[in-house]
Amino acid sequence: MELKFSRVERKGPITIVTLSRPEVYNALHTDAHFELQKVFDDFSADAEQWVAIVTGAGDKAFCAGNDLKWQAAGGKRGWDKGGFAGLTARFDCDKPVIAAVNGVAMGGGFEIALACDLIIASENATFALPEPRVGLAALAGGLHRLPRQIGLKRAMGMILTARHVSAKEGFELGFVNEVVPQGEALSGALRWADMITKNSPMSIRASKQAIQKGLGVSLEQAIEEQREYPAVKAMVASQDYIEGPKAFSEKRPPKWVGK
């Protein structure tokens, strides 16, 4: 598939997806959403790709959210089943996804980042859910993910005021994992991705799935049911499940195969 609104690069088991509409601060429209749906479908289905990083083209913006000028001009609005950028409603991907936020992350752009498992932000990054200022609401997951990630009162303080939050404050609030110097968001995210790939991808997927499913039920139910989760069962039946203890006993680095 020819990509018009994004770029995809692979570094070993790491897929780097760059939102590429820098002329509009990487804001997304319908065609971009459907393109990114296919990009993340391919990543999810590729057994050789273990971790994805999402970032924005240029040095000013990660993603400015929905392309309001496109919408105001009568442009069709909508996305595929994966949601905004093919990510915000994608609940069946057990592979880690990292947001490398290199600038503005507004509205849907912030919602993309919140849908990722980790957020690495450059010092110049700015976050907000400003939809109420233009008569909209953050319905691509922001209204639900932010309270779950930083607590109700802190989230309300951001959502009801639509105020902008710096990378430093995002770290203090708890939705940013690390703040790095300007221009180093992608390299910081790659460092985290490299650390993840040193672990068994089967274990990582089992862990992510267990966390996601477990958060929706009681602690007791989560512990009782976790061994029946598909990714946990796949981990137990995998070659990696044998290789890990064997490598440990032989005092050598494990050779993960991801199956």
Side-chain angles (χ1 to χ4, degrees), residues 57-72:
D59 58 2
K60 295 180 180 179
F62 173 71
C63 175
N66 180 43
D67 190 339
L68 293 177
K69 290 183 179 179
W70 165 275
Q71 182 179 338

Side-chain angles (χ1 to χ4, degrees), residues 136-191:
L136 304 173
L139 300 178
L143 297 181
H144 305 290
R145 284 194 169 96
L146 191 60
R148 284 167 168 79
Q149 293 182 22
I150 68 173
L152 179 59
K153 289 295 189 285
R154 289 179 171 186
M156 284 294 200
M158 287 186 64
I159 293 166
L160 300 183
T161 63
R163 70 186 184 87
H164 293 193
V165 167
S166 68
K168 180 178 180 291
E169 186 178 355
F171 179 78
E172 292 168 351
L173 288 170
F175 65 79
V176 170
N177 292 87
E178 182 183 3
V179 179
V180 297
Q182 184 171 347
E184 295 184 18
L186 180 56
S187 59
L190 280 166
R191 174 165 42 80

Side-chain angles (χ1 to χ4, degrees), residues 29 95 129 165 183 192 216:
H29 58 4
K95 300 177 181 181
L129 294 176
V165 167
W192 280 80

Side-chain angles (χ1 to χ4, degrees), residues 15-259:
T15 294
I16 302 169
V17 179
T18 303
L19 311 178
S20 188
R21 298 187 75 218
E23 70 280 4
V24 288
Y25 285 68
N26 302 317
L28 301 179
H29 58 4
T30 300
D31 292 345
H33 291 309
F34 277 84
E35 178 176 297
L36 288 161
Q37 173 76 32
K38 182 63 166 58
V39 166
F40 285 107
D41 281 349
D42 290 347
F43 164 71
S44 296
D46 190 341
E48 302 301 317
Q49 294 302 293
W50 298 355
V51 183
I53 295 172
V54 189
T55 193
D59 58 2
K60 295 180 180 179
F62 173 71
C63 175
N66 180 43
D67 190 339
L68 293 177
K69 290 183 179 179
W70 165 275
Q71 182 179 338
K76 180 182 176 183
R77 191 179 180 204
W79 43 72
D80 208 337
K81 62 183 183 295
F84 200 92
L87 271 180
T88 60
R90 185 178 293 272
F91 297 105
D92 59 354
C93 180
D94 301 316
K95 300 177 181 181
V97 182
I98 303 172
V101 181
N102 53 312
V104 170
M106 296 289 157
F110 187 20
E111 290 176 297
I112 295 170
L114 289 171
C116 295
D117 300 296
L118 302 174
I119 298 178
I120 311 306
S122 59
E123 291 173 333
N124 63 312
T126 307
F127 303 87
L129 294 176
E131 284 86 349
R133 293 185 180 178
V134 292
L136 304 173
L139 300 178
L143 297 181
H144 305 290
R145 284 194 169 96
L146 191 60
R148 284 167 168 79
Q149 293 182 22
I150 68 173
L152 179 59
K153 289 295 189 285
R154 289 179 171 186
M156 284 294 200
M158 287 186 64
I159 293 166
L160 300 183
T161 63
R163 70 186 184 87
H164 293 193
V165 167
S166 68
K168 180 178 180 291
E169 186 178 355
F171 179 78
E172 292 168 351
L173 288 170
F175 65 79
V176 170
N177 292 87
E178 182 183 3
V179 179
V180 297
Q182 184 171 347
E184 295 184 18
L186 180 56
S187 59
L190 280 166
R191 174 165 42 80
W192 280 80
D194 284 337
M195 288 192 286
I196 292 171
T197 60
K198 288 180 169 57
N199 303 307
S200 164
M202 303 301 291
S203 297
I204 293 299
R205 291 171 206 164
S207 298
K208 177 175 173 177
Q209 187 178 95
I211 291 167
Q212 289 180 316
K213 288 183 176 293
L215 285 173
V217 299
S218 70
L219 175 61
E220 181 181 2
Q221 185 177 345
I223 293 173
E224 286 179 352
E225 295 178 351
Q226 63 185 352
R227 291 189 178 275
E228 296 304 313
Y229 297 157
V232 175
K233 293 175 77 171
M235 176 192 72
V236 174
S238 71
Q239 295 178 42
D240 284 358
Y241 197 70
I242 298 171
E243 167 64 7
K246 185 178 180 182
F248 179 81
S249 66
E250 295 174 358
K251 298 181 179 180
R252 61 172 176 80
K255 298 177 181 177
W256 305 124
V257 295
K259 58 183 180 180

